[in-house]
Amino acid sequence: AGTHDDTFRPGDWRVAGTFAPALLEKGLASTRREISDWWQKGITAEELDYRKTAIAGQFAVSLETTEGLANQLLQCVERGFDVSWLDEFPTKVDSLTLDEVNAAIKKHLNPSQMTTVKAGTLK
């Protein structure tokens, strides 16, 4: 699960799963149940800490190649950010609070408005 976006449009939030064809409906029901529970109750402090660490780590790894650094610099320019944003990003992620994140989930996500896309060999 995570957000996906580009510079020029609001992002979307996606959950991906892989299920055997015979278990597809059961897997989708379990996924929907977990999303609904997460939306109603919010995420836990442990989940937030894990994601903050992962996001900061993925960002750092993205800067390790010339291409990755160039892509991040381009995104800064396209978004109108100063290149200092590259140094500030991990600190900004780390400063997010559980209340802020859970409020954003309630504001921007609604399980009843989500679209399910299935791909593969289906009847």
Side-chain angles (χ1 to χ4, degrees), residues 18-20 22-33:
T18 303
F19 307 104
L23 298 174
L24 178 60
E25 293 309 317
K26 185 176 181 179
L28 289 173
S30 293
T31 302
R32 288 183 186 113
R33 183 185 64 247

Short mmCIF file of all heavy atoms in Angstrom, two decimals, residues 18-20 22-33:
data_model
loop_
_atom_site.label_atom_id
_atom_site.label_comp_id
_atom_site.label_asym_id
_atom_site.label_seq_id
_atom_site.Cartn_x
_atom_site.Cartn_y
_atom_site.Cartn_z
N THR A 18 -1.65 -10.22 -4.43
CA THR A 18 -1.61 -11.32 -5.39
C THR A 18 -2.27 -12.52 -4.72
O THR A 18 -1.86 -12.92 -3.63
CB THR A 18 -0.15 -11.67 -5.76
OG1 THR A 18 0.48 -10.50 -6.28
CG2 THR A 18 -0.10 -12.77 -6.80
N PHE A 19 -3.28 -13.06 -5.39
CA PHE A 19 -4.03 -14.18 -4.84
C PHE A 19 -4.20 -15.26 -5.90
O PHE A 19 -4.36 -14.95 -7.08
CB PHE A 19 -5.43 -13.73 -4.38
CG PHE A 19 -5.42 -12.54 -3.45
CD1 PHE A 19 -5.76 -11.28 -3.90
CD2 PHE A 19 -5.05 -12.69 -2.12
CE1 PHE A 19 -5.74 -10.18 -3.06
CE2 PHE A 19 -5.02 -11.60 -1.26
CZ PHE A 19 -5.37 -10.35 -1.73
N ALA A 20 -4.20 -16.50 -5.46
CA ALA A 20 -4.53 -17.59 -6.37
C ALA A 20 -5.96 -17.38 -6.84
O ALA A 20 -6.80 -16.89 -6.07
CB ALA A 20 -4.40 -18.94 -5.64
N ALA A 22 -8.51 -19.18 -7.08
CA ALA A 22 -9.54 -19.77 -6.21
C ALA A 22 -9.71 -18.98 -4.91
O ALA A 22 -10.73 -19.09 -4.24
CB ALA A 22 -9.18 -21.22 -5.89
N LEU A 23 -8.71 -18.18 -4.56
CA LEU A 23 -8.76 -17.41 -3.30
C LEU A 23 -8.98 -15.92 -3.54
O LEU A 23 -8.92 -15.14 -2.59
CB LEU A 23 -7.47 -17.63 -2.52
CG LEU A 23 -7.19 -19.06 -2.07
CD1 LEU A 23 -5.82 -19.16 -1.42
CD2 LEU A 23 -8.27 -19.52 -1.12
N LEU A 24 -9.24 -15.53 -4.77
CA LEU A 24 -9.35 -14.11 -5.10
C LEU A 24 -10.41 -13.40 -4.26
O LEU A 24 -10.13 -12.39 -3.62
CB LEU A 24 -9.63 -13.91 -6.59
CG LEU A 24 -9.81 -12.46 -7.04
CD1 LEU A 24 -8.56 -11.65 -6.75
CD2 LEU A 24 -10.19 -12.41 -8.51
N GLU A 25 -11.61 -13.91 -4.24
CA GLU A 25 -12.68 -13.21 -3.51
C GLU A 25 -12.41 -13.18 -2.01
O GLU A 25 -12.67 -12.18 -1.34
CB GLU A 25 -14.05 -13.83 -3.82
CG GLU A 25 -14.50 -13.61 -5.26
CD GLU A 25 -14.44 -12.15 -5.72
OE1 GLU A 25 -14.84 -11.25 -4.95
OE2 GLU A 25 -13.97 -11.90 -6.85
N LYS A 26 -11.87 -14.26 -1.49
CA LYS A 26 -11.51 -14.29 -0.06
C LYS A 26 -10.40 -13.27 0.23
O LYS A 26 -10.45 -12.54 1.23
CB LYS A 26 -11.06 -15.70 0.34
CG LYS A 26 -10.80 -15.85 1.81
CD LYS A 26 -10.46 -17.29 2.15
CE LYS A 26 -10.22 -17.45 3.64
NZ LYS A 26 -9.91 -18.83 4.02
N GLY A 27 -9.42 -13.20 -0.65
CA GLY A 27 -8.34 -12.23 -0.48
C GLY A 27 -8.82 -10.80 -0.58
O GLY A 27 -8.41 -9.94 0.21
N LEU A 28 -9.72 -10.53 -1.52
CA LEU A 28 -10.28 -9.18 -1.64
C LEU A 28 -11.10 -8.81 -0.41
O LEU A 28 -11.02 -7.68 0.09
CB LEU A 28 -11.14 -9.07 -2.90
CG LEU A 28 -10.38 -9.08 -4.23
CD1 LEU A 28 -11.36 -9.15 -5.39
CD2 LEU A 28 -9.48 -7.87 -4.35
N ALA A 29 -11.89 -9.74 0.09
CA ALA A 29 -12.69 -9.48 1.30
C ALA A 29 -11.78 -9.18 2.49
O ALA A 29 -12.06 -8.25 3.27
CB ALA A 29 -13.60 -10.66 1.59
N SER A 30 -10.71 -9.94 2.64
CA SER A 30 -9.78 -9.70 3.75
C SER A 30 -9.11 -8.34 3.60
O SER A 30 -8.94 -7.61 4.58
CB SER A 30 -8.71 -10.80 3.78
OG SER A 30 -9.29 -12.03 4.11
N THR A 31 -8.73 -8.00 2.38
CA THR A 31 -8.09 -6.71 2.13
C THR A 31 -9.04 -5.57 2.45
O THR A 31 -8.67 -4.61 3.13
CB THR A 31 -7.61 -6.63 0.67
OG1 THR A 31 -6.70 -7.70 0.42
CG2 THR A 31 -6.93 -5.30 0.38
N ARG A 32 -10.27 -5.69 1.99
CA ARG A 32 -11.27 -4.64 2.26
C ARG A 32 -11.53 -4.50 3.77
O ARG A 32 -11.68 -3.39 4.28
CB ARG A 32 -12.58 -4.95 1.53
CG ARG A 32 -12.48 -4.74 0.04
CD ARG A 32 -13.83 -4.99 -0.64
NE ARG A 32 -13.68 -4.93 -2.07
CZ ARG A 32 -13.84 -5.96 -2.89
NH1 ARG A 32 -14.18 -7.15 -2.42
NH2 ARG A 32 -13.68 -5.82 -4.19
N ARG A 33 -11.58 -5.62 4.46
CA ARG A 33 -11.80 -5.59 5.91
C ARG A 33 -10.66 -4.85 6.61
O ARG A 33 -10.88 -4.02 7.49
CB ARG A 33 -11.94 -7.02 6.45
CG ARG A 33 -12.25 -7.07 7.95
CD ARG A 33 -12.26 -8.49 8.50
NE ARG A 33 -10.94 -9.10 8.39
CZ ARG A 33 -10.63 -10.13 7.60
NH1 ARG A 33 -11.55 -10.71 6.86
NH2 ARG A 33 -9.42 -10.62 7.57
#
